Amino acid sequence: MPEPLPMPDEALLQTPAQTVGPFFGYALPYSGGPTVRAPWQPDAIRLHGTVFDGGGDPIPDAIVEIWGADAAGRPSTERGVLDRDQHGFSGFGRAAVDRDGLYAFTTIKPGATRAGLAPYLLVTVFARGVLHHLFTRAYFDDEAAANGADPLLSSVDPARRHTLVAVSDAPASYRFDIRLQGEGETVFLDFGLEGRHEGMQR
Amino acid sequence: MPRPAPQPGESQQVIDAEIAAHHRAAHAAAASGAPVPAHPPRDFAPYRSTRLRHPTHELVRADPEEIELVSPAFGHTDVAAEEADLTIQHAGEPLGERIILTGRVLDGDGRPVRNQLVEIWQANASGRYVHKRDQHPAPLDPNFTGVGRMITGDDGSYRLTTIKPGAYPWKNHRNAWRPAHIHFSFFGSAFTQRLITQMYFPGDPLFALDPIYQSISDQRARDRLVATYDHDVSEPEWALGYRWDVVLTGPKSTWMEPEDADHA
Ligand SMILES: [Fe+2]
């Protein structure tokens, strides 16, 4: 008789995701959430865009988070992410979209986290109707050389690559629209956790 | 409270049949050796709002970089201790069944997720959210907002006091009701472990009917969203206790915190 396959410890299996639902608006947004870097700082940039559904309509009940490295490409270890020092930079931001699906952050343009990578911000999207959040990355269109050499961008279908690149639309301002489905659908990322095996089914 | 006119819509039977078909397909895939994912599929038609909001392309596999293997440096200065008690945020006490809810946040190796932010929001005992778009004709409670925040302890534990939320109707289909639940948001030690989910209460008769809960095809994975009544957590003459542990699996972090990281 073959040995039974080792079963993962039931107590240490991934907790499933559920949708953020429609009623997060009085709970998750916080004062200063979209302001990762004070706008008066000389290195502040704006990252903004619209979240669209598969019908091309803006989604009015999505919430977007960004997480990025500092200008040297290092994760910030400054304490006080929610109660932020106006002179500091914590790397994390959260912005609910408005009725027209628009979100906007002020932050800094991060440095590349290691040689050979293009700089980017990690972007997470939650919404009513999205059962499990979606990750993507916002690269920058004025980093053409670095983007051309970036391993993740290079691995993406060239026809869809532009969906990962924020477009410079004013001085120190980048537009990054997010399309959950359909024409121009944003490339969403799997960090190896999507198909996480959960043992046998009952 | 004026009673709204009944809305047209598909019947519960239609939704039930669609859920059953999804579960059959997932079980068949599992029987032929496919992995059973813990998370719900994003394309899950019985939950109607997914229709135009799920990507149709396969997700692109990405190797997490250093920034994705760490999380924001939340700390105790971010959150006041009172934010973990949703029953003391107003002049009076909220109506409803007072409960204590506690548990641990662990990674896939059983290590505690320390000093991370836990956020919750919920309906009141009548099943009504303070949110302005909630149109359920049930009373608001002037003594209950339904929002709380905590930072996990060194053992990954969290603990909150609140009232048990009520079930509430929604418009997914005709006579659609959500089982009582509390919304939870977690950060792991790596950003890739980020999780927003919902915690349910044991024995809810609405489980079988709810397309959001039933979007998870594996019964054991669904069970992991249900808190356990724990008499050792209950406090005499005060509150009933529930326990709910959370596991955030993720890629292993190779990044070491610098020596001076904890300059709180
Ligand atoms: Fe809810």
Side-chain angles (χ1 to χ4, degrees), chain A residues 23, chain B residues 129 168 178 181 183 198:
Chain A
F23 299 136
Chain B
Y129 286 90
Y168 61 83
R178 294 299 326 283
H181 59 275
H183 295 266
Q198 302 179 24

Side-chain angles (χ1 to χ4, degrees), chain A residues 10 38 46 55 69 104-105 123 125 130-131 136 138 142 153-154 156-158 162 173 187 190 198 201:
Chain A
E10 180 72 24
R46 188 162 180 264
F105 292 97
V123 178
V125 186
V130 176
L131 278 162
T136 185
D142 50 10
L153 283 175
S154 307
V156 170
D157 174 359
H162 69 96
S173 174
V187 169
D190 169 12
E198 290 302 340
Q201 201 144 12

Side-chain angles (χ1 to χ4, degrees), chain A residues 7 10-28 30 52-55 58-61 65-69 73-84 90 92 94 99 113-114 117 120 122 124 126-135 137 151-152 155-156 160 180-182 185-202, chain B residues 26-27 30 35-42 44 47 49-57 59-68 70-74 77-79 106-110 117 119 121-122 129-131 133-134 145-147 149 183 185 187 191-192 194-198 200 212-213 215-221 223-225 244 246-251 255 261-264:
Chain A
M7 283 290 290
E10 180 72 24
L12 293 173
L13 295 176
Q14 171 68 41
T15 302
Q18 295 271 267
T19 179
V20 73
F23 299 136
F24 56 80
Y26 72 105
L28 290 177
Y30 59 93
F52 293 100
D53 71 12
I59 291 180
D61 45 13
E65 290 179 350
I66 59 170
W67 172 231
R74 303 293 302 171
S76 169
T77 55
E78 284 181 29
R79 297 279 167 187
V81 176
L82 298 176
D83 184 16
R84 183 167 295 123
S90 71
F92 175 75
R94 177 185 285 168
R99 298 166 77 94
T113 55
R114 64 180 168 88
L117 297 186
Y120 65 85
L122 179 66
T124 315
F126 304 90
R128 177 177 66 84
V130 176
L131 278 162
H132 180 195
H133 65 260
L134 289 158
F135 284 125
R137 286 177 180 171
L152 186 270
S155 76
V156 170
R160 303 186 63 211
L180 297 188
Q181 189 187 83
E185 182 177 303
T186 298
V187 169
F188 295 105
L189 303 175
D190 169 12
F191 290 105
L193 303 169
E194 287 283 325
R196 185 48 63 101
H197 181 49
E198 290 302 340
M200 306 295 287
Q201 201 144 12
R202 268 209 301 248
Chain B
H27 282 245
V36 181
H39 295 299
R42 296 182 182 85
F44 190 75
Y47 175 23
S49 303
T50 63
R51 191 171 65 88
L52 292 171
R53 295 185 173 195
H54 69 270
T56 53
H57 288 274
L59 271 50
V60 169
R61 181 64 199 267
D63 288 326
E65 297 294 339
E66 177 186 351
I67 186 69
E68 285 137 349
V70 296
S71 261
F74 293 107
T77 56
D78 283 315
V79 173
L106 302 172
D107 72 13
D109 296 321
L117 179 67
E119 296 162 282
W121 67 104
Q122 63 168 92
Y129 286 90
V130 169
H131 196 280
R133 279 189 223 141
D134 185 359
T145 303
V147 175
R149 299 195 297 193
H183 295 266
S185 165
F187 290 79
F191 206 96
T192 54
R194 187 81 180 84
L195 183 75
I196 286 184
T197 190
Q198 302 179 24
Y200 300 89
I212 293 182
Y213 179 71
S215 63
I216 303 157
S217 61
D218 183 359
Q219 176 69 56
R220 293 187 314 172
D223 289 345
R224 295 204 289 277
L225 292 181
W244 185 52
V246 169
V247 177
L248 309 175
T249 57
W255 182 75
D262 204 11
H263 54 70

